[in-house]
């Protein structure tokens, strides 16, 4: 008889999550690393290759059109499965089209197709995240997140390393891309076999409701700002440790690039998958708060493996051990973190809210790079990895501060309303909106600058710095207000 904590992995739902997770990760490398390799082989200049990296912006700004997918329902298969099928067939057609093109001859058309693929892939992610949030009960979210991570990571391996090997040694680029397109077919079958989540009576009826209502709903909660801070900070220590891992192993320790690629990518990927699956199993028997706290502590402590590697004689087996331990604990933390995002979403607006929260979760990962490089130059590798442990502690303290409301949300699916300090909260929300507006203007001007519209660098720098400062200030102020409000609620 299957133990209760393993039952989720034996259900048909598990295979669907695995295949849809695979479909979510498959297009990423095909418009990023694999495409860059193809362009390099075709002798495209570096400036053009660098410009193609902007294709990935669709994944960052997918929250802009997520309300549209919450509001409107396709005429077939329901709100979630209908959009999944539309995006998957569009991805299939886009990847097939990419195979007909060559960078040296059809560069402009290839750029347009790559943008379309990235847009459809980000849209598929929006709906897939909403579907699993709607369909999975609280006790299955950890296992569901683990299966999603497993499928996603396997897809990145297939569309990344395996696709490069096939294109170089066996099939060539055209047939390789067509083979990758064919791998979307199991995901389409999985979507057809999936259950459509039960419709909610209060889902958005107008596009204005789909845009404004998810924000009003989230920021009306008594722990909204604390949760935003937690989302940014929970994986911060892990992001610090991972930001310069390859440089550390090659330049800092002197390992050969081939050895680093084999160990860091292959063994690291295996460890992440094992960690995510094991974390999902453990979460069947742990509350979400306990899982986040335990896995967060393990994430923090595992960074000491790199510190130990930096202060001891270098051997290949010690490098493998450090990489395995750090990625194992990181995979466990990722499973719990994805379950947290699902718990924070109201099913009425799950597509929009999950897209917003997942975009916010990328802030720490994206922006620690410059700070990490500066820290290493100033203090060296051992102190950098020791600091990465300390960087994980604020997120754990925030987790402890909102443990009661988090536990309530997991058990009941309800969110306590905000009743304290409403005027101060409005001010912090206005600061957040102003900062987001400045960052959006900065992005638009940055794209214009890359298209040879000459703009002063100091203007771009000022817009970015001001926007980021306002966003961070609003989150800090809101988090302090949340903490004060929670204290009052608890003791009144």
């Amino acid at each position: 008889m299957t133990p209760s904590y393993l039952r989720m992995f034996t259900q048909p739902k598990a295979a669907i999550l695995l295949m849809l997770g695979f479909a979510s990760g498959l297009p990423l490398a095909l418009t990023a690393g694999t495409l860059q390799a193809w362009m390099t082989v075709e002798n495209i200049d570096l400036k053009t290759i660098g410009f193609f990296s902007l294709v990935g912006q669709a994944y960052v700004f997918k929250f802009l059109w997520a309300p549209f997918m919450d509001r409107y329902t396709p005429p077939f298969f329901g709100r979630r499965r209908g959009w999944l099928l539309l995006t998957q067939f569009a991805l299939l057609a886009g990847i097939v089209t990419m195979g007909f093109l060559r960078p040296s001859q059809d560069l402009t058309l290839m750029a347009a197709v790559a943008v379309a693929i990235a847009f459809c892939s980000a849209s598929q992610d929006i709906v897939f995240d909403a579907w699993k949030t709607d369909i999975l009960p609280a006790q299955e979210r950890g296992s569901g997140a683990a299966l999603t991570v497993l499928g996603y990571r396997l897809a990145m391996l297939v569309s990344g390393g395996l696709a490069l090997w096939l294109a170089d040694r066996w099939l060539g680029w055209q047939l390789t891309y067509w083979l990758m397109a064919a791998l979307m077919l199991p995901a389409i079958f999985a979507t057809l076999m999936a259950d459509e989540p039960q419709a909610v009576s209060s889902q958005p009826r107008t596009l204005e409701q789909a845009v404004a209502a998810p924000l009003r709903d989230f920021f009306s909660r008594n722990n909204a700002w604390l949760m935003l801070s937690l989302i940014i900070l929970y994986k911060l220590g892990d992001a610090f440790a991972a930001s310069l891992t390859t440089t550390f192993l090659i330049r800092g320790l002197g390992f050969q690039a081939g050895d680093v690629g084999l160990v860091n990518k292959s063994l690291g990927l295996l460890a992440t998958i094992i960690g995510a699956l094991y974390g999902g199993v453990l979460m069947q028997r742990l509350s979400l708060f306990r899982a986040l706290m335990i896995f967060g502590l393990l994430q923090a402590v595992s960074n000491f493996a790199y510190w130990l590697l930096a202060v001891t004689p270098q051997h290949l087996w010690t490098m493998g051990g450090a990489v395995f331990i750090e990625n194992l604990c990181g995979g466990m933390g990722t499973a719990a973190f994805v379950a947290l995002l699902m718990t924070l979403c109201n099913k009425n607006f799950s597509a929009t809210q999950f897209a917003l929260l997942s975009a916010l979760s990328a802030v720490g990962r994206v922006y620690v790079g410059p700070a990490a490089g500066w820290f290493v130059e100033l203090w060296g590798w051992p102190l950098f990895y020791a600091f990465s442990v300390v960087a994980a502690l604020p997120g754990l303290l925030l987790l402890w501060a909102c443990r009661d409301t988090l536990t309530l949300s997991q058990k009941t699916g309800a969110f306590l309303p905000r009743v304290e300090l409403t005027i101060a909260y409005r001010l912090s929300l206005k600061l957040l909106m102003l900062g987001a507006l400045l960052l959006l203007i900065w992005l638009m001007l940055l794209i214009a600058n890359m298209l040879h519209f000459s703009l002063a660098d100091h203007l771009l720098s000022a817009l970015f710095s001001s926007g980021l400062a306002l966003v961070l200030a609003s989150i800090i102020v809101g988090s302090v207000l949340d903490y004060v409000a929670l204290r009052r609620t608890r003791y009144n």
Side-chain angles (χ1 to χ4, degrees):
M1 187 173 181
T2 305
S4 60
Y5 57 87
L6 292 178
R7 195 168 298 143
M8 168 62 185
F9 295 95
T10 64
Q11 296 177 11
K13 193 188 305 179
I16 292 172
L17 282 164
L18 185 64
M19 286 188 281
L20 292 180
F22 186 90
S24 178
L26 187 72
L28 185 62
L30 298 179
T31 57
T34 303
L35 181 57
Q36 287 181 13
W38 189 4
M39 295 171 70
T40 303
V41 171
E42 296 272 339
N43 295 316
I44 304 300
D45 64 273
L46 289 176
K47 185 176 180 180
T48 301
I49 294 175
F51 183 75
F52 264 69
S53 65
L54 287 175
V55 167
Q57 293 299 311
Y59 296 98
V60 178
F61 292 97
K62 60 186 179 182
F63 63 88
L64 294 176
W65 62 92
F68 182 90
M69 307 182 86
D70 251 340
R71 163 64 185 90
Y72 296 104
T73 301
F76 47 82
F77 292 104
R79 184 166 64 140
R80 302 307 185 202
R81 291 198 306 155
W83 281 118
L84 274 175
L85 284 172
L86 282 174
T87 55
Q88 287 165 354
F89 276 113
L91 284 168
L92 178 63
I95 299 170
V96 167
T97 302
M98 185 80 79
F100 282 106
L101 306 176
R102 290 192 60 181
S104 59
Q105 299 174 1
D106 312 292
L107 190 61
T108 302
L109 183 56
M110 178 166 279
V113 174
V115 169
I117 291 173
F119 175 81
C120 293
S121 177
S123 301
Q124 179 190 225
D125 290 351
I126 291 170
V127 191
F128 175 45
D129 291 333
W131 177 82
K132 68 188 179 194
T133 299
D134 295 347
I135 208 75
L136 292 175
Q139 66 272 17
E140 293 181 357
R141 285 173 177 165
S143 301
L147 288 164
T148 301
V149 171
L150 172 59
Y152 189 89
R153 295 286 182 172
L154 289 174
M156 292 183 66
L157 180 64
V158 169
S159 63
L162 179 61
L164 288 178
W165 183 78
L166 289 173
D168 181 55
R169 300 290 180 88
W170 291 94
L171 302 179
W173 293 103
Q174 184 181 62
L175 289 178
T176 297
Y177 267 75
W178 289 351
L179 175 62
M180 295 298 112
L183 293 178
M184 288 298 301
L185 294 174
I188 294 173
F189 177 77
T191 301
L192 293 172
M193 294 297 103
D195 294 326
E196 175 67 18
Q198 184 176 1
V200 289
S201 58
S202 55
Q203 70 185 59
R205 300 299 179 188
T206 66
L207 190 56
E208 186 276 335
Q209 287 182 358
V211 174
L215 295 175
R216 283 196 300 266
D217 172 80
F218 187 83
F219 285 102
S220 68
R221 303 173 191 175
N222 69 340
N223 64 350
W225 292 94
L226 279 174
M227 286 300 174
L228 291 181
S229 299
L230 176 62
I231 288 168
I232 294 174
L233 295 177
Y234 182 74
K235 298 280 288 183
L236 188 64
D238 201 45
F240 256 104
S243 62
L244 294 174
T245 300
T246 302
T247 303
F248 165 62
L249 296 175
I250 295 174
R251 187 180 300 176
L253 300 182
F255 287 107
Q256 295 296 316
D259 293 336
V260 171
L262 179 64
V263 173
N264 194 34
K265 298 301 181 183
S266 302
L267 187 62
L269 174 66
L270 176 64
T272 300
I273 291 172
I274 293 174
L277 290 174
Y278 185 54
V281 171
L282 290 179
M283 288 184 69
Q284 295 286 316
R285 298 189 284 182
L286 296 172
S287 68
L288 179 59
F289 166 73
R290 290 185 66 192
L292 285 165
M293 182 61 72
I294 294 171
F295 299 166
L297 286 170
L298 289 175
Q299 277 183 162
V301 173
S302 69
N303 291 347
F304 270 124
Y306 285 137
W307 173 84
L308 187 64
L309 195 60
V311 299
T312 57
Q314 286 77 53
H315 300 285
L316 194 60
W317 65 270
T318 58
M319 177 178 70
V323 167
F324 187 87
I325 291 171
E326 198 277 331
N327 282 275
L328 179 74
C329 297
M332 296 170 71
T334 297
F337 186 71
V338 174
L340 169 67
L341 297 185
M342 286 190 275
T343 300
L344 295 180
C345 291
N346 185 326
K347 290 186 178 182
N348 299 329
F349 323 105
S350 50
T352 302
Q353 289 184 347
F354 200 106
L356 282 165
L357 295 176
S358 61
L360 188 64
S361 70
V363 169
R365 184 177 69 252
V366 171
Y367 296 118
V368 297
W374 172 84
F375 196 108
V376 172
E377 290 287 339
L378 195 60
W379 298 104
W381 292 107
L383 198 56
F384 168 73
Y385 282 108
F387 176 77
S388 71
V389 178
V390 177
L393 299 181
L396 298 178
L397 292 175
L398 282 170
L399 176 63
W400 180 262
C402 48
R403 62 192 182 279
D404 294 332
T405 52
L406 182 61
T407 301
L408 174 69
S409 297
Q410 184 192 16
K411 288 182 177 179
T412 66
F415 307 97
L416 290 179
R418 173 176 293 124
V419 295
E420 303 274 355
L421 307 170
T422 54
I423 296 176
Y425 275 120
R426 290 194 195 100
L427 176 60
S428 60
L429 186 57
K430 289 178 180 178
L431 285 176
L432 178 65
M433 295 173 65
L434 179 58
L437 178 61
L438 291 178
L439 289 175
L440 182 60
I441 295 172
W442 164 79
L443 178 65
M444 295 172 65
L445 293 179
L446 180 65
I447 294 173
N449 201 32
M450 291 181 175
L451 294 173
H452 307 296
F453 292 94
S454 182
L455 295 167
D457 289 340
H458 68 271
L459 173 62
L460 294 173
S461 178
L463 280 171
F464 175 77
S465 301
S466 301
L468 188 61
L470 285 173
V471 169
L472 293 177
S474 67
I475 292 176
I476 292 171
V477 171
S479 298
V480 173
L481 293 172
D482 266 359
Y483 182 73
V484 173
L486 286 175
R487 296 274 299 182
R488 290 183 181 181
T489 302
R490 183 177 302 170
Y491 294 110
N492 279 349

